[in-house]
Amino acid sequence: VFGRGVFDDETWDELEEILIGADMGLTAATEIIDRIRRDALRHPPGDSGELKEMLQAAIAAEMIPAPILGKHDASLTVIFLVGVNGTGKTTTAGKLARRFADAGGTVVIAAADTFRAAAIEQVAVWADRTGAYLVKHKRGGDSAAVAYDAAAAAKARGADYLIIDTAGRLQTKAPLMEELKKVKGVLTRELPEAHLLSWLVMDATTGQNGLAQATAFAEKIGLDGLILTKLDGTAKGGIVVAVARATGLPVVMLGTGETEADLIDFDSNNFAAALLD
Amino acid sequence: TLAGRFTDILAGIRGRGRVDEKDIAEASRQIRLALLEADVNFKVVKDIVADVKNLALGESVLKSLTPGQQVVKVLRDELARVMGESAVQLKIGKKPDVILLTGLQGSGKTTAAAKLALLLRREGKKVLLVAADTYRPAAQDQLVSLGAELNVDVWRGKTGQTAIDIAAAAVHGESGTQPDVVIVDTAGRLHIDNDLMAEIVALKSAVKPGHILFVADAMIGQDAVNQASAFDDALDFEGVILTKLDGDARGGAALSIKRVTGKPIMFVSTGEKPQDFEVFHPDRMAARILG
Ligand SMILES: Nc1nc2c(ncn2[C@@H]2O[C@H](COP(=O)(O)OP(=O)(O)OP(=O)(O)O)[C@@H](O)[C@H]2O)c(=O)[nH]1
Ligand SMILES: Nc1nc2c(ncn2[C@@H]2O[C@H](COP(=O)(O)OP(=O)(O)OP(=O)(O)O)[C@@H](O)[C@H]2O)c(=O)[nH]1
Ligand SMILES: [Mg+2]
Ligand SMILES: [Mg+2]
């Protein structure tokens, strides 16, 4: 559609399909296209390159600017990673540990997924690879108790960063969401001076259920941002546009692969450009 | 719900007795909205809307229904037709029959391997699980742990072996357990990762599985078609295991995958416990997608 020289009704339909194909959802896609269609009447784009830029800018404008990590007074930053099953929380914990270690910080990781088979072993590998100190209990133990011990360890060691890896859980499971609220409660009580960030880890291949996930987690435990993973695939992750519109939540980082280096800061213009590619 | 949407728009045209062009234009819009919200791929939605339009305008619709009811019936029948008429059985062949599980990262393969093992053992089969994911940290530990919980043997080969070495050894009887069925768990991989797609194709050649199942997450959106087509082109899989159906994702990916590859959904995973696994029923999925 960007290759043709003419803008007609078909153009707008095709542009809407690109946004729908990117998982933005029909509502967001329709509103964005309606808006640039009105703008195009006042300032007609000279060519398809200019049309693409208009669309890219419109998408980028929907995103909330990501807060800069590290710009606060607290000596300890706590990253509470939550999300549904299999989205990449544990791997992201490893990537964050690498980033913080490279920046010269001391890192503690809490193996707070006490439920899933080999969850503790998996995060232990990441702690080992990144030099982070791991706090873990036995499998089947209380997740909040792990968080409690990890908070104590972070204080005792004067850590700069505490990363909490939690078990995946579907947002429809009330007892599991309640458990998460309890774990966060332990962190806020034990580390009142810390800069606590609750980030929802979401898979870029997720469809419209991603909106339900974000609103449910935000409502139950409060969220400060999203990490969108698996952007090295063909999915565009447009669901975060619908999430931004509904919740005002920023995307803070993007997962772009399976190694510890594959974590980049979110940039709305780059994200919008990649969505349209 | 979709039925709810139709009741509203078509309430005003009750008297006419047969569906006409104007009725179908608005109905098409509502069908498109409902299916896109349910994560059905937009190209598949276009095809379905066109099919429903032709069928609803045609003569084959029951005269005893109102126009609204006719359109909903045509849509329900069309979705059921696309999903498949009935459950497709996994037929276990001569021993050792090999089932290869593949799919994208985090879709639920390792968990599904254990669940499928439990289901087959309950049917009286001796199963060997093969932990052939050599990439993800503690992936083999995960399957060994699941196998131990279920009392199912797990083969993990030796450290440093490749996925192909491990799987081939198990299939060629090196585990000494003489299973009826061997289930091979593999690493999650992107359909656009040429090296890893080449690896899974090579693995297929090496172990000659009787069954290849693509494991897909029920909450996938528009990308389902890209993933499934690529895996089907590379491997010609037999069917799909759809996971995480215990959530509230509508599961439109199931419809897209079936429509585009023609391959049936064979099993669904409905929770994190080993028993949360069953044969797929197409009519239930159609109802879920329509909401
Ligand atoms: N391609 C790709 N794969 C990723 C990315 N992030 C994570 N993964 C993979 O996704 C799979 C699941 O990752 P995990 O870190 O175990 O996910 P999780 O959210 O902790 O899963 P649960 O704890 O079981 O809920 C693994 O195979 C990871 O290697 C990414 O950015 N790109
Ligand atoms: N709620 C729910 N969770 C599931 C289901 N199936 C799998 N899971 C969970 O999804 C997460 C990922 O499952 P895995 O079996 O590790 O996925 P995988 O495809 O093997 O992941 P990779 O090997 O990294 O590609 C785990 O937390 C599982 O417990 C399901 O049907 N329902
Ligand atoms: Mg995890
Ligand atoms: Mg696995």
Side-chain angles (χ1 to χ4, degrees), chain A residues 15-25 29 59 204-208 228 231 234-242 271-272 274-277, chain B residues 41-42 221-223:
Chain A
L15 289 181
E16 192 185 78
E17 284 185 343
I18 291 177
L19 301 189
I20 292 171
D23 285 310
M24 227 184 257
I59 295 168
T205 64
T206 309
Q208 297 310 300
L228 187 64
L231 271 166
T234 50
K236 301 294 185 177
I239 190 61
V240 297
V241 174
F271 178 77
L275 197 145
L276 295 178
D277 257 338
Chain B
N41 182 270
F42 76 92
Q222 301 287 310
D223 199 48

Side-chain angles (χ1 to χ4, degrees), chain A residues 85-86 116 170 173, chain B residues 104-111 115 133 136 142 188 243-244 246 269-272:
Chain A
N85 308 70
R116 207 205 70 208
L170 298 182
K173 307 206 165 171
Chain B
L104 271 79
Q105 290 87 347
S107 58
K109 298 173 292 301
T110 304
T111 317
K115 290 175 176 185
D133 177 354
R136 167 172 153 157
Q142 185 185 2
T243 65
K244 307 177 201 172
D246 43 321
S269 178
T270 56
E272 287 188 83

Side-chain angles (χ1 to χ4, degrees), chain B residues 77-149:
Chain B
D77 290 350
E78 180 62 8
L79 289 188
R81 190 190 65 81
V82 174
M83 284 315 305
E85 296 306 324
S86 55
V88 175
Q89 295 295 340
L90 182 78
K91 296 184 179 57
I92 298 299
K94 78 178 191 66
K95 97 187 224 173
D97 199 0
V98 181
I99 302 174
L100 180 64
L101 299 187
T102 189
L104 271 79
Q105 290 87 347
S107 58
K109 298 173 292 301
T110 304
T111 317
K115 290 175 176 185
L116 186 55
L118 180 64
L119 186 144
L120 290 173
R121 195 184 59 200
R122 285 181 172 170
E123 292 178 3
K125 304 277 182 282
K126 185 167 193 330
V127 185
L128 174 66
L129 284 166
V130 179
D133 177 354
T134 52
Y135 299 116
R136 167 172 153 157
Q140 291 178 311
D141 293 337
Q142 185 185 2
L143 192 62
V144 166
S145 170
L146 291 170
E149 275 172 41

